[in-house]
Amino acid sequence: MASESQIEPIADSLQPGLSLPARIEAILYLKGRALSLGELAEISGVSRDQVEVGLITLMADYAHRDTALEVRQEGQRYSLQLRDGLGDLVQNLLPVDLSTAALRTLATIAIKKRILQSDLVDLRGSGAYDHIKELLAQNFIERKRQSEGRSYWLSLSEKFHRTFSVKTDELVAQRRSSKPAATAEREATTDEVSDEEWEQAA
């Protein structure tokens, strides 16, 4: 069962307007591991019966989506995982020697822009310490001690922006090359890359 210190940061970080299935989806993504109905109920602040209904809704939604992810049930525990057969694709998109678990932690830092190490561990679990070491070793993040307090501030490094910007540019170029010239020319006038493209590139 998740401790109180782990529950509050996750509950606070979720927008109150989110539906229960969306909240469950966010929790499964942030925790990055299989969770029981009891854990999901405690973290989301609803009953086990409500969580079960929310999970059924979420699983049915994923079953009808054209998506690389799925909600997977393993015994009495549930997790958000890549569909079978996508491992090679993920490895081709990941920076060299960066694990999928570390990438999830990196994505959490990217969403927050700047986050305390203690808050990140609350969100991602104790395994985040190893992910932080891995990310620091490869210079994807920077760490600075708090001016007041015992934790560290974590933020994205120049290498992160350089690496993932290149991957996003490559993705957009590939997508444009597969479309008719007129369509590619229209898209070339748009300077910004969509959030969906960034996520796919990351």
Side-chain angles (χ1 to χ4, degrees), residues 159-171 198 201:
K159 181 181 176 181
F160 169 89
H161 293 291
R162 186 169 63 251
T163 300
F164 287 96
S165 174
V166 168
K167 287 185 175 293
T168 302
D169 291 344
E170 290 174 351
L171 178 71
W198 187 94

Side-chain angles (χ1 to χ4, degrees), residues 2 8 11 17-18 28 30-31 35 48 51 62 65 78 99 104 109 111 148 157 160 163 168 174 199:
E8 291 179 355
L18 286 177
L28 290 174
L30 287 170
K31 296 303 287 184
L35 299 172
R48 290 171 61 99
V51 164
Y62 266 102
R65 289 187 201 176
Y78 301 84
S99 68
R104 287 194 177 199
I109 298 171
I111 290 169
E148 297 180 3
S157 68
F160 169 89
T163 300
T168 302
Q174 290 172 4
E199 290 170 1

Side-chain angles (χ1 to χ4, degrees), residues 14-20 22-23 26:
L14 300 180
Q15 296 181 4
L18 286 177
S19 66
L20 181 56
R23 289 170 66 85

Side-chain angles (χ1 to χ4, degrees), residues 6 26 46 50 55 76 91 101 107 114 140 149 165 185 189 200:
Q6 291 175 315
V46 299
Q50 288 175 300
L55 268 171
Q76 299 299 312
Q91 290 306 314
R114 186 168 179 256
F140 282 111
S165 174
E185 184 176 350
T189 62
Q200 290 174 350

